[in-house]
Amino acid sequence: MHHNELTDEECARFCGLIYRAAGIRIADNKRVMIGNRVRRRLRATGIGSFREYYAFLTSPAGAGEMPLFLDVITTNETYFFRDAQHYQWLGKEFLPEVARLAAAHKHPRRLRIWSAACSTGEEPYSIAIEVFEKRALFAGWKVTILGTDISGAALADARAGRYDARSVRHVEPGRLLACFDEDRQGGAWTVKPVVKALVEWRPHNLLAPLGGEPFDCIFLKNVLIYFDRDSKQAVVKNLVAALAAGGFLVVGPTEGVHNMLDPLARVQAWLYRQGGG
Ligand SMILES: C[S@@+](CC[C@H](N)C(=O)[O-])C[C@H]1O[C@@H](n2cnc3c(N)ncnc32)[C@H](O)[C@@H]1O
């Protein structure tokens, strides 16, 4: 099926919708990319033009289409143990420190970590692998690792937990053996049930508060790059509110929120801490 090109005006309407729904600002020069991505939904729905698709998407009948639209719009690139120093800190400093505090009755025997834009799951599973390797420290604890994302398609992949060689390229061989089952045919690795059991998944838009119990650590990585100042500020406010006293925020290299984190103490360029810990 042939579809017309996306006009500047149509592109602007889709971009306005994306900004309101997800906080993402699409640059003006991304018209061809947006056209290509939305065209996948035209094909899937059998709708013949961008104009008709936009009308459907914004009509009451199209409410169910919005998540599928956001699935094609979001960029889900990720891999295991991205930014090695974050995981070194987690495994060698953060986890032992929480265990020490609990032994001194200064922390409940409860560990809560949130991967706040987890895409296809590599980030929360990498966290889970660190926790799994340190499980002796947390025997009898209530451990929660939560992975959330706005994309339901990404979360479906996360739940399946099956990855290709590219995705696991930074997983050490010993860990690959201990924490993954390799497919018979080779070339794909599935996270073992013992590691999978540590992670919970939930769809969540970072523009909204999450609610529930606070977290000892939140990962916020490689998601806010296309957010503008207002939407970044909304996300930061929600995350800071979700941090426990003494809890840590790990931020990615491209978030651009360093001037918005003054409620927190800066520990490293990429690591912030809530007071009161
Ligand atoms: C590039 S991935 C980053 C994955 C992982 N944190 C990492 O650093 O490798 C960015 C993810 O942010 C998600 N995302 C974009 N806007 C969002 C929003 N408003 N709320 C929640 N997730 C969002 C996308 O669906 C995508 O899966």
Side-chain angles (χ1 to χ4, degrees):
M1 209 191 318
H2 174 78
H3 300 291
N4 297 331
E5 289 304 310
L6 189 64
T7 65
D8 283 338
E9 195 196 325
E10 285 164 343
C11 188
R13 295 175 84 197
F14 279 111
C15 289
L17 190 61
I18 294 163
Y19 179 71
R20 291 190 298 278
I24 304 166
R25 279 267 185 234
I26 310 276
D28 293 341
N29 60 5
K30 294 281 169 66
R31 188 170 54 85
V32 172
M33 181 201 82
I34 292 297
N36 289 339
R37 291 184 177 189
V38 177
R39 200 171 282 115
R40 281 156 51 191
R41 292 311 306 162
L42 265 62
R43 272 198 296 272
T45 55
I47 292 174
S49 74
F50 288 112
R51 198 180 46 74
E52 284 169 80
Y53 178 74
Y54 183 88
F56 170 63
L57 185 60
T58 52
S59 71
E65 176 63 18
M66 184 55 92
L68 304 173
F69 169 70
L70 291 175
D71 282 344
V72 296
I73 291 304
T74 51
T75 299
N76 305 116
E77 161 66 12
T78 183
Y79 47 89
F80 279 87
F81 297 103
R82 184 177 196 170
D83 307 308
Q85 79 264 32
H86 297 172
Y87 293 95
Q88 270 153 26
W89 167 81
L90 188 82
K92 294 201 165 64
E93 296 183 42
F94 171 76
L95 294 177
E97 172 69 8
V98 174
R100 264 195 305 275
L101 288 171
H105 305 288
K106 290 176 181 162
H107 192 282
R109 286 161 61 81
R110 173 217 74 186
L111 176 67
R112 292 176 54 80
I113 306 177
W114 177 19
S115 167
C118 69
S119 185
T120 44
E122 285 90 328
E123 184 174 285
Y125 282 136
S126 300
I127 296 167
I129 289 170
E130 295 285 353
V131 171
F132 177 67
E133 290 175 352
K134 294 271 180 328
R135 62 193 175 282
L137 295 177
F138 304 108
W141 287 45
K142 171 121 183 63
V143 174
T144 306
I145 300 167
L146 175 66
T148 67
D149 201 279
I150 200 172
S151 166
L155 285 177
D157 288 350
R159 284 198 177 90
R162 188 169 181 275
Y163 298 98
D164 62 13
R166 199 198 57 84
S167 196
V168 301
R169 67 192 182 276
H170 296 309
V171 181
E172 291 160 16
R175 285 180 157 169
L176 210 47
L177 257 164
C179 299
F180 295 80
D181 293 313
E182 190 178 1
D183 275 25
R184 284 252 183 84
Q185 311 88 305
W189 285 264
T190 302
V191 177
K192 280 195 194 285
V194 279
V195 176
K196 263 192 185 174
L198 293 170
V199 189
E200 291 169 20
W201 309 99
R202 208 184 306 163
H204 175 67
N205 186 339
L206 292 173
L207 295 177
L210 183 70
E213 296 285 298
F215 291 88
D216 303 302
C217 183
I218 300 175
F219 276 52
L220 174 72
K221 294 174 49 175
N222 303 299
V223 55
L224 298 186
I225 178 166
Y226 301 121
F227 283 48
D228 72 355
R229 195 176 163 78
D230 287 346
S231 47
K232 282 183 191 196
Q233 224 137 22
V235 172
V236 164
K237 182 166 165 277
N238 292 329
L239 293 193
V240 169
L243 269 182
F248 289 93
L249 177 66
V250 175
V251 291
T254 58
E255 309 315 320
V257 291
H258 299 283
N259 53 359
M260 300 176 189
L261 293 172
D262 15 295
L264 308 181
R266 182 180 174 281
V267 183
Q268 306 245 18
W270 48 269
L271 185 64
Y272 289 79
R273 186 169 202 187
Q274 179 88 283

